[in-house]
Amino acid sequence: MRVLGIDPGSRYCGFGVVEDAGGTRVRHLAHGVLALSESAPMEERLRALHQGLTRELSAHRPDFVAVEDVFHARNARSALVLGQARGVALLAAVQYGARVRSFEPSVIMQAVTGTGRAEKEQVGRMVSVLLGISPFHGRLDASDALAAAICGLLRANDPVLRLAR
């Protein structure tokens, strides 16, 4: 099974792709960050986000997409903006035809660190260790997306899964 994880954002959107490598092993396939122009109008950023995610979905052909829920926002406007980016991510995944599920940040953290209250840096370190890749420095959007993908791989067959196909 191949899983694409998405850490949605209106300025930076992380994505990461993993697949089941047999037994308890997880194979890293790709990760990156879609950087959206902060000066562009919101509708243009959302269009660019949709195009970027559509491109990654087509390139990596996941069976399952795990999207991180909105964790917190500084204010109501920030929450609305994050919600719009998350909606675009969900739309792109459903249009592609993958099975889709959203996960609370604490569930994702628990899956990769053993605790639902881990710091972003700890999540990044554990993702690096679990996947055998170089440590993350700077922005952690890609490591958060890989963490979502790992969580999605672990929970893909949970009975509460909403099928998009």
Side-chain angles (χ1 to χ4, degrees), residues 1-160:
M1 173 173 289
R2 184 173 291 185
V3 179
L4 183 136
I6 302 173
D7 178 27
S10 65
R11 179 68 179 96
Y12 298 99
C13 178
F15 68 89
V17 186
V18 299
E19 72 180 2
D20 184 348
T24 59
R25 297 179 340 192
V26 177
R27 179 180 300 120
H28 168 263
L29 297 178
H31 69 272
V33 176
L34 302 174
L36 308 168
S37 172
E38 191 171 3
S39 63
M42 183 54 135
E43 58 274 13
E44 288 300 314
R45 282 191 273 166
L46 294 175
R47 180 188 54 76
L49 176 60
H50 186 270
Q51 288 175 337
L53 289 174
T54 299
R55 184 176 53 249
E56 296 304 329
L57 286 157
S58 295
H60 300 293
R61 304 179 50 134
D63 304 299
F64 186 86
V65 176
V67 180
E68 184 174 346
D69 279 342
V70 175
F71 179 52
H72 68 314
R74 292 181 296 259
N75 56 47
R77 178 163 164 54
S78 295
L80 178 62
V81 169
L82 284 172
Q84 290 172 336
R86 187 172 170 281
V88 166
L90 292 169
L91 174 63
V94 168
Q95 284 178 329
Y96 169 74
R99 296 185 297 159
V100 181
R101 179 139 181 231
S102 294
F103 294 99
E104 293 289 331
S106 60
V107 173
I108 294 170
M109 290 178 217
Q110 176 77 33
V112 297
T113 69
T115 178
R117 295 183 176 266
E119 297 292 325
K120 285 178 105 34
E121 293 77 14
Q122 183 181 2
V123 171
R125 284 191 306 273
M126 284 305 299
V127 165
S128 295
V129 168
L130 290 170
L131 298 177
I133 60 176
S134 298
F136 291 87
H137 300 289
R139 295 208 56 87
L140 297 173
D141 305 281
S143 65
D144 286 352
L146 283 168
I150 293 168
C151 179
L153 187 60
L154 295 172
R155 295 183 165 237
N157 295 317
D158 282 356
V160 294

